[in-house]
Amino acid sequence: DIQMTQSPSTLSASVGDRVSITCRASQSMSTWLAWYQQKPGKAPKLLIYKASSLESGVPSRFSGSGSGTEFTLTISSLQPDDFATYYCQQYNSYSTFGQGTKLEIK
Amino acid sequence: QVQLVQSGAEVKKPGASVKVSCKASGYSFTSYYMHWVRQASGQGLEWMGIINPGGVSTTHAQKFQGRVTVTRDTSTTTVYMELSSLRSEDTAVYYCARSTASGYYDYWGQGTLVTVSS
């Protein structure tokens, strides 16, 4: 199984900040990686797929990069609606999620 | 529009089984895979299993070997996930989620809380 290690587990930031979240895979997986945003009591929402493709309707301040074993989600200028928990998901071999990153208001 | 509507919350005793449904609408049901993902309170997401578009092939995570069954009814465009031999650690919100062959999830159900308690 491919293990996904996401960091940091918690991130404190302010509106307008640029932030990045990293996901590392236990083995190379090309670009078969997605990022999701989840708010309390809600289902996850797809942000990025194939490592860097922006899902339709997702603001352009969200971007993804990486390939192989290291991937990054970047939010260029945090908005109040962005404070949530973020998960990476590998789908190279079935599916595995990272542990999640809670983005908090500083 | 695409919708995945899941059945309501369940309370079960240890050792029992639970069957959660996920009714799909707004798209070609037989063209997409359906996955089940669960999330314990305050915890991360855990993939459980998948049924392919043809409804013939299913695969599940090794952790759930022998306990999870995923089926579907094309006539009602509904996918089911049955989990048996329930234990307290199975208390979680269970989600269905749609994917293409690529494997990322573009639509999710609203979630079904399953509580296992004596």
Side-chain angles (χ1 to χ4, degrees), chain A residues 32-34 36 87-91 94-98, chain B residues 103-105:
Chain A
W32 303 118
L33 185 107
Y36 301 86
Y87 293 94
C88 61
Q89 176 222 359
Q90 69 79 18
Y91 51 94
Y94 297 114
S95 181
T96 317
F97 293 90
Chain B
Y104 59 86
Y105 309 134

Side-chain angles (χ1 to χ4, degrees), chain A residues 1 32 34 36 38 41-46 49-50 55 87 89 91 94-99, chain B residues 35 37 39 43-47 50 59 62 95 101-111:
Chain A
D1 292 1
W32 303 118
Y36 301 86
Q38 187 179 33
K42 299 294 187 182
K45 172 188 173 184
L46 177 66
Y49 61 94
K50 211 166 184 294
E55 172 69 350
Y87 293 94
Q89 176 222 359
Y91 51 94
Y94 297 114
S95 181
T96 317
F97 293 90
Q99 307 97 308
Chain B
H35 300 245
V37 175
Q39 185 173 39
Q43 302 301 307
L45 301 164
E46 180 176 36
W47 179 76
I50 179 178
T59 305
Q62 187 69 21
Y95 293 101
S102 295
Y104 59 86
Y105 309 134
D106 58 354
Y107 286 92
W108 295 67
Q110 84 277 19

Side-chain angles (χ1 to χ4, degrees), chain A:
Chain A
D1 292 1
I2 299 177
Q3 308 302 317
M4 305 301 294
T5 303
Q6 195 173 330
S7 60
S9 55
T10 306
L11 182 56
S12 296
S14 302
V15 172
D17 284 354
R18 178 185 179 92
V19 298
S20 293
I21 299 167
T22 297
C23 205
R24 290 187 173 85
S26 60
Q27 64 189 73
S28 182
M29 37 176 270
S30 185
T31 54
W32 303 118
L33 185 107
W35 290 96
Y36 301 86
Q37 177 193 68
Q38 187 179 33
K39 295 183 177 179
K42 299 294 187 182
K45 172 188 173 184
L46 177 66
L47 300 174
I48 302 284
Y49 61 94
K50 211 166 184 294
S52 60
S53 296
L54 191 68
E55 172 69 350
S56 176
V58 174
S60 59
R61 63 181 179 272
F62 291 92
S63 64
S65 64
S67 66
T69 61
E70 187 152 336
F71 303 87
T72 302
L73 173 71
T74 299
I75 309 172
S76 61
S77 178
L78 275 173
Q79 299 302 301
D81 191 50
D82 300 339
F83 293 95
T85 300
Y86 293 83
Y87 293 94
C88 61
Q89 176 222 359
Q90 69 79 18
Y91 51 94
N92 179 77
S93 175
Y94 297 114
S95 181
T96 317
F97 293 90
Q99 307 97 308
T101 295
K102 185 175 183 180
L103 182 52
E104 299 180 328
I105 300 175
K106 185 184 285 185

Side-chain angles (χ1 to χ4, degrees), chain B residues 17-115:
Chain B
S17 297
V18 68
K19 193 170 186 177
V20 180
S21 68
C22 171
K23 180 166 176 59
S25 62
Y27 70 97
S28 175
F29 181 68
T30 55
S31 297
Y32 289 82
Y33 295 76
M34 196 71 81
H35 300 245
W36 288 90
V37 175
R38 76 177 186 180
Q39 185 173 39
S41 180
Q43 302 301 307
L45 301 164
E46 180 176 36
W47 179 76
M48 298 181 68
I50 179 178
I51 188 164
N52 76 340
V56 174
S57 173
T58 62
T59 305
H60 50 267
Q62 187 69 21
K63 174 178 181 176
F64 301 102
Q65 182 75 29
R67 289 210 299 142
V68 68
T69 305
V70 180
T71 57
R72 73 169 201 181
D73 182 342
T74 304
S75 67
T76 60
T77 64
T78 301
V79 178
Y80 300 91
M81 186 284 299
E82 184 169 20
L83 187 62
S84 61
S85 302
L86 289 168
R87 34 222 192 214
S88 58
E89 311 89 87
D90 294 318
T91 294
V93 175
Y94 291 75
Y95 293 101
C96 58
R98 185 188 87 159
S99 81
T100 64
S102 295
Y104 59 86
Y105 309 134
D106 58 354
Y107 286 92
W108 295 67
Q110 84 277 19
T112 296
L113 175 62
V114 175
T115 302

